[in-house]
Amino acid sequence: QVQLVESGGGLVQAGGSLRLSCVASGNIFSMNAMAWYRQAPGKQRELVATITSGGSTNSADSVKGRFTISRDNAKNTLYLQMNSLKPEDTAVYYCNVGILTTAFRYLEIWGQGTRVTVSS
């Protein structure tokens, strides 16, 4: 009914940049809060950054000043611009979106994950 498709992950050297995208499709009436999470090998999933429907953002201290979350409501797309990447940013990144469907059901949807590997 509603799905998220992520893209943009890959292998990059330390200091490099990547831009992740998360596109929502299906019976979408509106999108609420959106977020990026990440899970490194052997670690718990952690919150990276959030953005409200009004565009207010917040991010984890570990990525402040380096990562920027943004959204394009017209394209039902969430972005994460990642600059000055460090080896410790290596993880699988997941988008998480609150969606109100055209049937007025509220769903919290997860993307399938995209792998980011930062080499030193």
Side-chain angles (χ1 to χ4, degrees):
Q1 190 175 22
V2 178
Q3 65 173 357
L4 301 178
V5 177
E6 301 179 34
S7 62
L11 173 64
V12 64
Q13 287 189 332
S17 297
L18 284 173
R19 189 194 197 201
L20 306 184
S21 299
C22 172
V23 181
S25 62
N27 300 325
I28 300 168
F29 180 79
S30 65
M31 298 196 300
N32 197 4
M34 309 172 87
W36 287 98
Y37 288 77
R38 68 185 180 185
Q39 187 165 18
K43 294 188 176 181
Q44 289 189 329
R45 191 171 295 189
E46 64 173 353
L47 181 63
V48 175
T50 62
I51 184 166
T52 68
S53 57
S56 296
T57 63
N58 204 351
S59 59
D61 289 343
S62 59
V63 305
K64 271 189 184 355
R66 301 187 298 121
F67 291 10
T68 302
I69 188 172
S70 62
R71 61 192 288 168
D72 185 334
N73 292 330
K75 296 181 179 180
N76 289 340
T77 302
L78 173 69
Y79 301 101
L80 185 68
Q81 178 67 43
M82 305 186 295
N83 299 327
S84 302
L85 281 160
K86 304 175 180 181
E88 51 263 43
D89 295 318
T90 295
V92 177
Y93 285 72
Y94 299 90
C95 59
N96 175 267
V97 180
I99 292 175
L100 185 64
T101 71
T102 53
F104 294 101
R105 288 182 61 204
Y106 185 80
L107 304 173
E108 185 175 327
I109 307 292
W110 288 90
Q112 83 283 3
T114 185
R115 186 175 300 276
V116 172
T117 303
V118 184
S119 64
S120 57

